[in-house]
Amino acid sequence: MIIKKLALAVLLGSLGTSVQAADDFQVDNIQVKGLQRVALGAALTHIPFNVGDNLNDFRVSQSIKALYKSGHFSDVVVSRDGNTIIYRVQERSTISAITFDGNKDLKDEQLTESLDGSDIRVGETLDMTVISGIEVGLENFYHSVGKYNADVKAKVTHLPRNRVNIDFAFEEGDAAAIEQINIVGNEKFSDAELLERIELTYDSPWWDFMAQDRYQKQTLQGDMETIKSYYLDRGYLQYKVDSTQVSMTPDKKAVYISLNVTEGDIYTVSGVDFIGDMAGFEDTIRAITPIRAEELYNGALVTYSEELISKFLGRYGYAYPKVVTIPEIDEDNKTVKLVLSVDPGKRVYVNRINFKGNHVTAEHVLRREMRQMEGAWLSNDLVEGSKAWLQRLPYMETVEFETNQLPGEDDLVNIDFEVKEQPSGSFTAGIGYGSTTQLSLNAGIQQNNFLGTGNRLGFSINTSSYSKSANVSYTDPYFTVDGVSLGGNIFYQEFDAGNANLVEYNNKTYGVGMTLGFPINEYVRLTFGLGYKNNGITRLETYEQIQKFYELYSDPDDPDGGLNFENFDMNISLSRSTLNRGTFPSDGSQQSLSYKMTTPNSDVNYFKINLDTKWYFPITRDQSWTVLAKFQLGYGNGYGSIEGNDQILPFWENFRAGGSGTLRGFESNTVGPRAIYRRPTTISGTPDSVDSDSGCCLGTDHDFIQTSKRSVGGNAIALAGLELIVPTPFLDEGYSNSVRTSFFIDAGNVWDTEFSLDDYDTLADIELAKLADYSDVGRFRASAGLSLQWLSPMGPMVFSFAKTLKEEEGDDTEFFSFNIGQTF
């Protein structure tokens, strides 16, 4: 018995607790004293016996271990009073608050996330051993980025009710500067040639703010791989780094780096062979492998070949292939035979496709975008294609996926898509300022994911200084399971051209339309449409370009009665999109070619054709720097004739340019041809019988010409733009898909191809000179500026500042514009 008691005392002493040893006895009562936050019932669940059980020394020690293991207690003392077992416990303190001070390299959010992974969070109990480990881990991080004088201390302040505050104090200091980088053993390539390819630098000029002259361990490791790749890509198969020395100055403020390398000889590929199971694709694999005999060994080409074969096999369900290149080196001839070992593994099938993060969008809306099907073999191309289709949805911000193997199944996987939705509805508003129009306003509402169905519902009421409109539209992009879309709209608009920088007229328009779209393939879509439109023209100020048109349709007996037209139109469009996202894309392209014409039974017979294209070219791997090139071409005209006169494009259908949607930096609708007014020249005559002056007109060759400062648009348009999309300064990378900054150049013009100066060749030279102000033929307009776009709960918003590059007399320049709800 004495030996048992001594053994128990030693055991409990090692645990930092005490207990009164006892013989076996039956427990009549269990008491736990010292509880504050932990409920008695919760504590009793960790004690592995109940009232009425027989208790011995071993079971007591087991109960102590269980209470410690629960994580609630920092001290446990056990005693016995008769047949009552008593536990006196001290609970671990509860974390009340966590604060950070002095941290610059690490943001509060990053630190909070790191602590959360170690179960150090507000409301949890405090484990001081974990805190100590975190201090060491943070200091090691700073050392890895060259800050060897960094110090991190956690101060624990005790509060009433067994609570604590944890204050992390950071002294980051400065990163050690690189004084010199030496490469020893290189003969084929100079130090300068190798050093210019790596990130770390030294002795940089003061103006080179991008120089990486602060030591970082991870960057050095990456630079060593860069140099190795440089050699391997040029045939130096046996290049290696013999040793690396990083020497620090006593004050820990500077380091010297030395790399000792062995270059080796240049090797030529003597042949390429394949071994292993190629799943019946041997001929194809041999054909697609780009390595050829008699060429220099190229490490990058070898890696590319392995990845290409793996990706090819992945298309046919072999999700986890192993492709390894085995070099057989001939030292005498300095050649190498490359043997590619291919093991496709088992063909893998998709068990289930899961979605996470779609709080608004219904799951079936996401599933219909899937190109990878459940039950089919896993194809990396189809999975990536599914991701691309989801990203093109205008109500998706980001899409990621993981392929997870089912436990115990080596040929079944689940694909887990995680999506991040963005506001699908948009409140469209605009504020614009120009030297002519001054302040203008507009507003509207659009819903691209109505009730989570993926259908688009638009109900807009817009008002500005020159337009009032109402429009209701609805589109079901999956009217059939095959992707046939059906849409329709009803609209009404009152347009005051005089307030829109155009020649004076009012146009009241109402109508309906319907569209039916058919997918041609994954990227191309064909859409047909029918529509009816009624135009009521009043307050028309006639001018030369529309004089014949006006005379054909006006009522001579009621010149102020206005014009009214009923037109039925048919349209067809072909669109193609390979954009990687529906909103703020950074890669891919989009093209649209559309044709519209009115039916022969319409009041006016005309057609319009339009080509619009955008190309995104990423210039960095993360696509944060991207070039956008875009252009638009349009042409319209009349067909047929009326009363012997060829029909022309109605003036209200003219193309227009200038403003936020076309040429930023110019006032809305100010670019393009001006109105021409031709009036006869009169001379005074002999007074008539009522003693008033009379006059008569001279011939048409003496007509007086005047050109307006207001534009009339034209039947042809050409617009182009170039944008450099850059990371938004001072903004976290997490917002890169919802905020976009770009510098742009816009250029373009509008023409009237039906207008001919030859019709005016009989005029006097002074009047002909005035016609030079009429048209912008051969003179493109251009502007440049800055655009900032972002997503908000109200939809896409944009701020832009633009300025014309070359001002001509009569140009109206829009120096500043602010628009909400419209993207460029």
Side-chain angles (χ1 to χ4, degrees):
M1 180 63 68
I2 294 176
I3 295 175
K4 292 176 63 177
K5 292 180 179 179
L6 290 174
L8 180 61
V10 171
L11 173 64
L12 298 179
S14 66
L15 295 173
T17 64
S18 65
V19 65
Q20 295 178 358
D23 297 326
D24 291 0
F25 66 96
Q26 187 178 44
V27 179
D28 290 339
N29 189 20
I30 302 173
Q31 296 180 7
V32 183
K33 297 184 178 181
L35 296 175
Q36 297 182 33
R37 178 179 53 84
V38 180
L40 176 60
L44 291 175
T45 60
H46 298 289
I47 298 176
F49 55 81
N50 299 309
V51 172
D53 292 349
N54 288 329
L55 183 63
N56 55 35
D57 297 339
F58 176 75
R59 298 191 69 180
V60 171
S61 65
Q62 291 297 105
S63 68
I64 294 171
K65 292 179 180 179
L67 287 171
Y68 272 114
K69 191 175 181 180
S70 70
H72 297 304
F73 308 107
S74 60
D75 191 34
V76 179
V77 177
V78 184
S79 62
R80 175 184 171 186
D81 183 7
N83 288 342
T84 298
I85 188 79
I86 303 171
Y87 293 86
R88 289 180 173 84
V89 299
Q90 182 177 343
E91 294 182 356
R92 286 182 176 175
S93 301
T94 303
I95 301 173
S96 177
I98 302 174
T99 58
F100 310 102
D101 182 45
N103 54 306
K104 296 179 180 178
D105 287 353
L106 291 174
K107 298 181 179 179
D108 289 0
E109 294 80 5
Q110 293 173 294
L111 292 168
T112 301
E113 184 178 351
S114 177
L115 294 176
D116 191 68
S118 301
D119 291 329
I120 302 297
R121 64 177 72 91
V122 173
E124 295 291 339
T125 57
L126 173 64
D127 185 347
M128 285 303 300
T129 60
V130 176
I131 293 294
S132 300
I134 290 175
E135 290 176 336
V136 174
L138 290 172
E139 288 182 359
N140 288 338
F141 164 78
Y142 283 111
H143 293 170
S144 70
V145 297
K147 295 192 172 184
Y148 293 100
N149 291 315
D151 183 62
V152 181
K153 296 297 182 184
K155 180 182 178 182
V156 178
T157 304
H158 292 274
L159 303 173
R161 300 192 305 278
N162 199 25
R163 297 175 300 122
V164 295
N165 283 348
I166 306 176
D167 302 306
F168 286 91
F170 294 79
E171 292 183 7
E172 294 181 338
D174 295 325
I178 301 173
E179 289 293 330
Q180 192 170 3
I181 302 176
N182 296 314
I183 302 177
V184 181
N186 55 311
E187 297 177 357
K188 306 298 182 182
F189 304 104
S190 66
D191 287 4
E193 191 173 358
L194 296 175
L195 292 177
E196 74 177 20
R197 284 166 173 78
I198 66 176
E199 290 188 44
L200 293 180
T201 61
Y202 70 95
D203 196 24
S204 301
W206 64 269
W207 45 263
D208 190 358
F209 298 104
M210 302 299 291
Q212 182 76 317
D213 57 0
R214 299 292 176 177
Y215 172 73
Q216 294 192 27
K217 182 178 179 180
Q218 295 87 343
T219 306
L220 175 59
Q221 292 174 343
D223 287 343
M224 292 168 61
E225 288 298 319
T226 299
I227 295 175
K228 180 179 180 180
S229 297
Y230 187 75
Y231 274 95
L232 292 178
D233 295 348
R234 287 156 180 79
Y236 294 90
L237 175 60
Q238 300 201 63
Y239 166 88
K240 62 179 180 179
V241 178
D242 298 316
S243 62
T244 305
Q245 291 88 35
V246 180
S247 304
M248 190 182 310
T249 58
D251 59 4
K252 299 182 179 181
K253 293 183 178 180
V255 296
Y256 293 83
I257 301 173
S258 295
L259 302 179
N260 297 288
V261 305
T262 298
E263 294 179 319
D265 297 312
I266 295 178
Y267 286 79
T268 303
V269 178
S270 61
V272 183
D273 201 2
F274 296 85
I275 61 174
D277 179 12
M278 285 175 274
F281 299 107
E282 182 173 355
D283 292 340
T284 303
I285 290 175
R286 287 183 179 274
I288 65 175
T289 303
I291 305 174
R292 297 291 180 266
E294 306 303 325
E295 294 181 353
L296 285 181
Y297 175 84
N298 187 316
L301 194 60
V302 170
T303 302
Y304 173 74
S305 300
E306 293 173 348
E307 294 175 349
L308 187 63
I309 295 171
S310 297
K311 186 175 181 180
F312 172 77
L313 291 172
R315 294 174 57 186
Y316 297 94
Y318 299 97
Y320 307 107
K322 296 179 181 178
V323 183
V324 180
T325 303
I326 305 169
E328 297 180 355
I329 299 175
D330 184 344
E331 292 285 1
D332 296 331
N333 298 312
K334 303 303 178 187
T335 61
V336 58
K337 180 180 179 182
L338 300 178
V339 180
L340 280 79
S341 174
V342 181
D343 179 10
K346 283 191 175 182
R347 177 169 277 181
V348 178
Y349 294 83
V350 177
N351 174 64
R352 177 73 179 169
I353 298 177
N354 303 309
F355 298 93
K356 180 182 178 182
N358 53 313
H359 305 297
V360 176
T361 309
E363 185 171 305
H364 77 271
V365 175
L366 304 180
R367 287 194 176 277
R368 68 192 186 189
E369 304 296 337
M370 292 295 99
R371 271 50 193 169
Q372 173 70 63
M373 297 291 105
E374 294 176 343
W377 69 55
L378 176 66
S379 170
N380 50 23
D381 280 0
L382 294 179
V383 176
E384 288 291 345
S386 301
K387 175 184 176 180
W389 276 86
L390 287 175
Q391 285 182 322
R392 291 187 193 119
L393 295 175
Y395 39 87
M396 289 296 162
E397 182 176 337
T398 60
V399 179
E400 300 296 338
F401 71 88
E402 287 185 353
T403 303
N404 298 311
Q405 200 164 11
L406 267 65
E409 303 287 347
D410 58 0
D411 61 348
L412 284 178
V413 297
N414 286 341
I415 304 176
D416 299 318
F417 281 91
E418 184 168 359
V419 302
K420 182 180 179 182
E421 297 173 312
Q422 65 186 26
S424 58
S426 63
F427 171 75
T428 304
I431 302 175
Y433 178 83
S435 59
T436 301
T437 59
Q438 302 299 314
L439 188 68
S440 62
L441 305 171
N442 62 74
I445 299 174
Q446 180 74 29
Q447 174 59 257
N448 290 322
N449 188 17
F450 182 61
L451 299 179
T453 63
N455 298 339
R456 294 188 291 273
L457 173 66
F459 174 73
S460 62
I461 300 178
N462 289 321
T463 179
S464 66
S465 59
Y466 56 85
S467 177
K468 297 178 178 62
S469 65
N471 182 75
V472 179
S473 63
Y474 189 81
T475 301
D476 183 351
Y478 279 85
F479 181 66
T480 71
V481 295
D482 297 325
V484 175
S485 63
L486 179 65
N489 70 311
I490 303 174
F491 58 90
Y492 175 82
Q493 181 184 34
E494 294 181 5
F495 181 73
D496 185 348
N499 286 332
N501 296 323
L502 298 168
V503 172
E504 184 71 45
Y505 71 89
N506 286 1
N507 184 5
K508 288 187 178 181
T509 308
Y510 62 86
V512 297
M514 184 188 74
T515 60
L516 196 64
F518 300 88
I520 303 301
N521 56 38
E522 291 289 287
Y523 309 106
V524 181
R525 191 172 193 84
L526 184 64
T527 303
F528 298 92
L530 296 172
Y532 165 78
K533 183 185 293 185
N534 183 287
N535 293 91
I537 309 296
T538 57
R539 296 180 60 200
L540 176 62
E541 181 182 330
T542 60
Y543 47 94
E544 278 292 288
Q545 293 95 320
I546 66 168
Q547 187 63 42
K548 292 182 179 179
F549 180 89
Y550 176 77
E551 292 173 353
L552 287 172
Y553 293 100
S554 62
D555 183 356
D557 297 328
D558 186 13
D560 298 325
L563 307 175
N564 190 271
F565 302 92
E566 287 191 341
N567 295 316
F568 301 87
D569 63 71
M570 303 180 297
N571 58 79
I572 181 173
S573 66
L574 187 67
S575 60
R576 177 183 180 273
S577 176
T578 61
L579 298 179
N580 61 342
R581 283 193 295 272
T583 304
F584 294 162
S586 57
D587 193 8
S589 65
Q590 184 179 57
Q591 296 82 34
S592 175
L593 177 64
S594 61
Y595 178 82
K596 180 179 79 170
M597 66 175 293
T598 56
T599 59
N601 62 322
S602 299
D603 290 341
V604 183
N605 296 330
Y606 65 90
F607 67 90
K608 293 178 74 173
I609 185 169
N610 195 77
L611 173 64
D612 196 351
T613 183
K614 297 179 180 179
W615 296 85
Y616 291 86
F617 302 97
I619 55 180
T620 58
R621 180 169 296 182
D622 62 358
Q623 299 183 359
S624 59
W625 292 74
T626 299
V627 173
L628 165 61
K630 58 183 179 180
F631 68 88
Q632 176 190 349
L633 299 175
Y635 177 78
N637 216 326
Y639 72 90
S641 61
I642 180 171
E643 298 182 8
N645 296 287
D646 292 337
Q647 298 216 42
I648 62 173
L649 185 69
F651 59 89
W652 62 85
E653 291 284 348
N654 278 348
F655 295 104
R656 300 161 187 156
S660 60
T662 53
L663 285 176
R664 291 163 283 188
F666 292 88
E667 293 282 3
S668 297
N669 306 321
T670 58
V671 176
R674 316 287 184 174
I676 297 174
Y677 301 98
R678 182 173 182 172
R679 298 185 176 90
T681 301
T682 61
I683 59 174
S684 300
T686 304
D688 57 19
S689 57
V690 294
D691 199 26
S692 63
D693 290 338
S694 63
C696 66
C697 299
L698 298 178
T700 57
D701 54 336
H702 293 282
D703 284 353
F704 173 75
I705 294 295
Q706 181 181 0
T707 58
S708 162
K709 288 188 177 182
R710 293 180 178 270
S711 173
V712 295
N715 68 321
I717 188 172
L719 301 174
L722 193 65
E723 293 194 33
L724 175 62
I725 299 168
V726 302
T728 303
F730 315 112
L731 191 68
D732 187 86
E733 292 182 1
Y735 296 96
S736 60
N737 290 327
S738 56
V739 180
R740 168 162 289 181
T741 301
S742 64
F743 297 92
F744 64 83
I745 296 177
D746 291 344
N749 208 346
V750 176
W751 300 270
D752 183 353
T753 64
E754 293 299 297
F755 175 80
S756 176
L757 290 174
D758 294 340
D759 296 337
Y760 301 85
D761 57 3
T762 61
L763 292 174
D765 291 342
I766 190 172
E767 300 303 321
L768 285 174
K770 297 178 181 179
L771 291 177
D773 293 333
Y774 152 73
S775 178
D776 297 312
V777 174
R779 182 161 62 93
F780 274 88
R781 304 295 183 88
S783 63
L786 168 69
S787 172
L788 176 64
Q789 304 172 59
W790 69 96
L791 297 175
S792 75
M794 295 188 299
M797 299 186 180
V798 61
F799 167 86
S800 66
F801 177 86
K803 178 70 170 63
T804 55
L805 294 180
K806 183 179 180 182
E807 296 182 35
E808 302 287 347
E809 184 178 356
D811 282 353
D812 292 318
T813 304
E814 186 176 30
F815 292 98
F816 174 82
S817 64
F818 179 70
N819 300 278
I820 300 177
Q822 181 180 9
T823 56
F824 299 134

